[in-house]
């Protein structure tokens, strides 16, 4: 092979690799543009004020496009899931990082990885066959497809993320902090709760934000296990319908290029912005932590 | 005395949480498998659905999922590997790579249902591929790109710089050093990442809802322009959309068992490759 040919090949591939790198930017831009373009088409038909302040989502017969019940449902179910997953996840991470010996760690890590590998549709199925009937029995209801069910399932879905990131954060707290605490006469529990966990706080917040981002965007579990009622939710025993579930249910049925079709892109844009904000906040905190934290 | 109480409380909190999480996995696996494994039979795995999906097997769904992940892999793997090579071997640390990395992180945080909408708008409508195996495979390809890029880049990072320097010193061009030395060394890590990504894609449901999955088709798809059945969607449909949900419950258990078995098997393959690779190092 001539040197010239080899040099040209080299040049060609360096350009090709660069193009693929730039294409990821195009992909993110394309998704954003697609959402924006269709949302604009929606807002030509429906006033933004009605969309953001309406408390009725009933596109079919009445043409009500109020996003508030969907947002309330999404917040309700993800808040519930975080109330369950955050303490469980952080305490487990603390145990894995600070107390478990190597043998126990070698069992726990694959357990967390396996939990992360279970597909969301299987978790949703679990909500129908185990958690739903359980809730129905406990509260004497007809069925257990409600926000509480969704919260429990989303907690299971977000736990692997929270445990993994939180464990890294706790592990990264310098030994000298703990040694200083122990040297002052604190026992290992006081060291954990008053020194190690507070020092790892920014990383723990990042873990929670990443878990939260995952829970907000989850579709199949909430679609299968929360009942999908359109009424404005009052509490955890109410059936709810999140933004993701609404898109999944209605996109299959609407004719293309109608107001209803565009409306689903508009609520997807809201979802996109929420998850983007959550991820960016988590990332910013993690970055700050690397710079100034432990 | 007070100290002793905090000790007990501490152990309860930490061990209690850990045991709870482990029991989640145990309950999921035990419950689903105890109900699902008895359903599995030759006819269930290799038969077609019969009598309004109340009897028969899930063969078309298994084939659909396999074909779907194949299309995803063919599309996403070369693209992802090239992008990772650019980031790790060529680009260095610049403002542009900072932006590219940030956009990859954000892509991996986008909810899967939004990828479904994007696939619908781009592949199904704009490119006129229709609701088909190809549209759904490409949609899942986009979804899996960030994972392939990240895992490949990590594998490339583990290749020591001396490998690159030695290759350049004997007269290779940069491309030749990557093709002949860096990639072969990083291969186990790259394959592990690909297998894990495929395992993830096989269980995805939301992105294929509007891009090509079907309740029921006769036979298996003969072309990539056809609609298809897939295991996760079949499970969703059997457990929530079927008109006699209680009658088909055993079939749903069988389907979820097959799906989880496939995914766990792929995870074990990835785990095995990783272990073997570590031993050789």
């Amino acid at each position: 092979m001539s040197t010239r040919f080899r040099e040209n090949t080299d040049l060609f591939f360096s350009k090709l690799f660069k193009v693929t790198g730039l294409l990821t930017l195009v992909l993110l831009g394309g998704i954003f543009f697609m959402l924006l373009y269709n949302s604009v088409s929606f807002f030509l038909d429906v006033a933004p004020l009605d969309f953001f302040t309406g408390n009725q989502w009933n596109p079919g017969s009445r043409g009500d496009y109020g996003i508030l019940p969907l947002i309330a449902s999404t917040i309700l179910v993800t808040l519930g899931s975080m109330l369950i997953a955050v303490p469980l996840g952080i305490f487990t991470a603390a145990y894995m990082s600070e107390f478990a010996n190597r043998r126990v760690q070698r069992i726990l890590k694959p357990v967390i990885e396996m939990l992360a590998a279970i597909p969301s549709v299987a978790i949703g199925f679990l909500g129908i066959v185990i958690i739903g009937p359980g809730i129905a029995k406990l509260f004497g209801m007809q069925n257990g497809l409600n926000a509480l069910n969704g919260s429990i399932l989303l907690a299971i879905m977000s736990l692997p993320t929270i445990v993994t990131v939180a464990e890294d954060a706790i592990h990264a707290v310098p030994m000298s902090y703990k040694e200083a605490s122990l040297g002052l006469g604190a026992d290992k529990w006081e060291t954990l709760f008053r020194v190690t966990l507070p020092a790892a706080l920014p990383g723990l917040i990042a873990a929670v934000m990443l878990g939260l981002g995952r829970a907000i965007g989850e579709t199949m579990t909430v679609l299968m296990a929360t009942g999908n009622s359109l009424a404005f939710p009052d509490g955890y025993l109410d059936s709810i319908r999140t933004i993701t579930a609404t898109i999944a249910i209605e996109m299959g049925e609407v004719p293309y290029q109608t107001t209803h079709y565009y409306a689903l892109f508009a609520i997807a844009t809201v979802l996109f912005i929420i998850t983007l904000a959550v991820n960016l906040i988590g990332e910013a905190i993690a970055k700050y932590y690397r710079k100034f934290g432990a | 005395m007070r100290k002793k109480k905090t000790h007990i409380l501490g152990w309860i909190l930490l061990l209690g949480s850990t045991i709870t999480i482990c029991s989640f996995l145990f309950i999921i696996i035990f419950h689903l498998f105890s109900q699902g494994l008895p359903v599995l039979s030759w006819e269930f795995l290799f038969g077609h659905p019969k009598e309004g999906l109340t009897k028969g097997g899930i063969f078309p769904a298994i084939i659909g999922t396999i074909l779907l992940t194949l299309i995803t892999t063919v599309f996403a793997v070369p693209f992802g590997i090239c992008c990772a090579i650019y980031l790790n071997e060529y680009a260095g640390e610049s403002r542009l790579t900072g932006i590219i990395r940030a956009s990859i992180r954000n892509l991996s945080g986008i909810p899967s249902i939004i990828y479904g909408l994007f696939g619908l708008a781009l592949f199904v409508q704009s490119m006129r591929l229709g609701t088909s195996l190809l549209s759904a495979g490409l949609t899942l390809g986009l979804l899996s790109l960030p994972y392939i890029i990240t895992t490949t880049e990590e594998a490339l990072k583990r290749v020591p710089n001396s490998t690159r320097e030695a290759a350049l010193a004997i007269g290779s061009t940069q491309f030749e050093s990557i093709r002949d030395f860096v990639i072969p060394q990083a291969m186990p890590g790259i394959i592990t990442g690909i297998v894990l990504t495929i395992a993830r894609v096989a269980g995805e449901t939301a992105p294929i809802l509007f891009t090509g999955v079907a309740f029921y088709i006769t036979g298996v798809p003969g072309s990539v322009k056809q609609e298809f059945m897939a295991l996760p969607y079949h499970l969703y449909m059997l457990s929530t959309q079927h008109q006699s949900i209680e009658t088909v419950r055993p079939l749903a258990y069988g389907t979820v068992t097959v799906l989880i078995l496939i995914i766990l098997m792929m995870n074990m393959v990835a785990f095995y490759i990783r272990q073997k690779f570590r031993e050789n190092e």
Side-chain angles (χ1 to χ4, degrees):
Chain A
M1 255 185 293
S2 73
T3 315
R4 179 106 180 250
F5 177 74
R6 290 171 56 208
E7 274 172 355
N8 284 340
T9 319
D10 191 49
L11 193 70
F12 169 76
F13 276 98
S14 77
K15 292 269 185 281
L16 178 79
F17 293 146
K18 184 162 189 178
V19 167
T20 55
L22 293 175
L23 275 175
T24 59
L25 290 181
V26 174
L27 176 59
L28 185 64
I31 291 175
F32 187 64
F33 176 76
M34 176 273 304
L35 289 172
L36 213 61
Y37 177 81
N38 288 299
S39 300
V40 168
S41 303
F42 171 70
F43 287 123
L44 292 179
D45 290 345
V46 175
L49 194 68
D50 293 343
F51 176 67
F52 287 111
T53 60
N55 55 13
Q56 280 272 342
W57 179 268
N58 199 344
S61 49
R62 304 243 317 266
D64 288 327
Y65 293 101
I67 196 179
L68 284 183
L70 310 181
I71 290 191
S73 295
T74 304
I75 291 175
L76 195 69
V77 74
T78 46
L79 195 72
S81 74
M82 287 301 115
L83 287 178
I84 301 167
V86 168
L88 278 180
I90 289 179
F91 288 140
T92 302
Y95 175 72
M96 283 171 74
S97 169
E98 304 294 297
F99 293 91
N101 60 31
R102 275 190 167 259
R103 250 188 42 210
V104 177
Q105 276 181 355
R106 217 174 276 169
I107 300 169
L108 284 177
K109 285 221 161 135
V111 166
I112 304 289
E113 277 172 22
M114 266 170 86
L115 201 57
I118 307 244
S120 58
V121 70
I123 305 266
F125 182 64
L126 206 72
I128 295 175
V129 294
I130 297 187
I131 296 172
I135 292 174
K137 214 168 162 191
L138 200 62
F139 295 98
M141 298 161 68
Q142 279 234 307
N143 68 58
L145 299 180
N146 52 29
L148 178 62
N149 193 338
S151 290
I152 296 170
L153 298 179
L154 286 185
I156 299 176
M157 300 259 2
S158 52
L159 267 171
T161 312
I162 296 180
V163 172
T164 315
V165 182
E167 204 215 335
D168 285 344
I170 295 170
H171 201 73
V173 173
M175 209 55 197
S176 56
Y177 284 30
K178 296 168 210 165
E179 281 162 355
S181 166
L182 294 169
L184 286 169
D187 63 28
K188 57 181 179 179
W189 294 104
E190 288 165 337
T191 306
L192 176 68
F193 287 112
R194 303 221 177 134
V195 177
T196 313
L197 287 184
L201 192 62
L204 298 181
I205 295 174
V208 173
M209 295 308 263
L210 289 174
L212 181 63
R214 179 138 196 224
I216 294 174
E218 203 12 81
T219 307
M220 295 318 288
T221 42
V222 287
L223 175 62
M224 292 165 82
T226 60
N228 300 316
S229 151
L230 275 174
F232 205 96
D234 281 328
Y236 280 94
L237 295 178
D238 276 2
S239 163
I240 56 158
R241 195 204 252 192
T242 62
I243 296 178
T244 51
T246 306
I247 300 171
I249 293 169
E250 296 177 11
M251 189 48 96
E253 294 162 2
V254 298
Y256 294 158
Q257 270 97 39
T258 56
T259 308
H260 188 180
Y261 170 89
Y262 292 130
L264 297 176
F265 283 89
I267 60 173
T269 310
V270 174
L271 176 70
F272 179 81
I273 291 169
I274 295 173
T275 49
L276 196 68
V278 167
N279 285 327
L280 286 179
I281 292 170
E283 206 176 275
I285 294 169
K287 203 170 176 185
Y288 177 83
Y289 168 63
R290 274 199 295 275
K291 237 187 218 162
F292 301 104
Chain B
M1 202 46 215
R2 199 179 62 85
K3 274 206 163 172
K4 197 160 187 193
K5 267 187 187 159
T6 53
H7 278 205
I8 294 170
L9 187 68
W11 279 118
I12 289 176
L13 283 178
L14 264 60
L15 272 180
S17 303
T18 311
I19 291 168
T20 309
I21 292 183
C22 293
S23 66
F24 282 153
L25 182 72
F26 180 75
I27 291 170
I28 294 171
I29 300 285
F30 180 78
H31 178 83
L32 296 182
F33 281 16
S34 70
Q35 304 275 325
L37 285 175
V39 181
L40 302 192
S41 66
W42 196 257
E43 202 221 333
F44 184 73
L45 290 176
F46 296 103
H48 287 258
K50 279 183 236 155
E51 293 170 36
L53 304 176
T54 55
K55 286 208 172 77
I58 54 168
F59 186 64
I62 296 177
I63 292 295
T65 291
I66 292 173
L67 291 176
L68 186 68
T69 49
L70 269 179
I71 292 177
T72 303
T73 317
V74 167
F75 170 67
V77 166
F79 193 156
I81 290 180
C82 287
C83 183
I85 290 176
Y86 170 69
L87 284 176
N88 197 61
E89 307 291 325
Y90 286 88
E93 291 301 321
S94 69
R95 207 195 174 106
L96 178 67
T97 49
I99 297 171
I100 292 178
R101 274 174 220 277
S103 80
I104 291 168
R105 277 197 301 274
N106 282 318
L107 282 173
S108 66
I110 293 178
S112 57
I113 187 102
I114 292 185
Y115 278 97
L117 288 182
F118 187 61
L120 172 72
L122 180 67
F123 301 123
V124 176
Q125 293 177 15
S126 300
M127 292 169 72
R128 298 187 190 283
L129 298 174
T131 49
S132 62
L133 198 51
L134 187 59
S135 295
L138 292 174
T139 306
L140 286 177
L142 295 181
L143 173 95
S144 53
L145 259 186
Y147 302 103
I148 303 233
I149 297 172
T150 319
T151 50
T152 305
E153 209 193 335
E154 255 154 46
L156 292 175
K157 268 199 191 112
R158 279 199 297 269
V159 177
N161 256 336
S162 53
T163 302
R164 299 182 181 87
E165 284 154 8
L168 294 175
I170 57 169
S172 316
T173 62
Q174 190 175 11
F175 171 67
E176 286 162 351
S177 107
I178 291 167
R179 185 191 60 192
D180 298 336
F181 300 98
V182 178
I183 294 284
Q185 266 199 46
M187 216 32 154
I190 295 175
I191 291 177
T192 307
I194 293 171
V195 174
L196 285 178
T197 309
I198 294 174
R200 214 191 143 95
V201 163
E204 277 289 352
T205 322
I208 59 176
L209 281 177
F210 349 105
T211 50
V213 79
F215 273 117
Y216 175 69
I217 56 157
T218 48
V220 294
S223 111
V224 292
K225 298 286 261 179
Q226 272 175 9
E227 294 194 348
F228 61 98
M229 290 173 77
L231 282 172
Y233 184 70
H234 195 65
L235 170 62
Y236 164 67
M237 198 264 307
L238 286 180
S239 56
T240 63
Q241 305 288 299
H242 200 276
Q243 61 271 60
S244 46
I245 287 175
E246 293 306 321
T247 337
V248 296
R249 193 44 52 88
L251 296 182
Y253 274 111
T255 311
V256 73
T257 303
V258 172
L259 179 64
I260 291 183
L261 278 177
I262 291 176
I263 289 171
L264 289 186
M265 258 174 347
M266 286 202 271
N267 274 275
M268 271 175 218
V269 168
F271 188 73
Y272 174 77
I273 298 171
R274 199 161 52 187
Q275 285 305 104
K276 210 170 152 83
F277 175 55
R278 291 233 171 102
E279 280 164 22
N280 292 341
E281 245 178 11

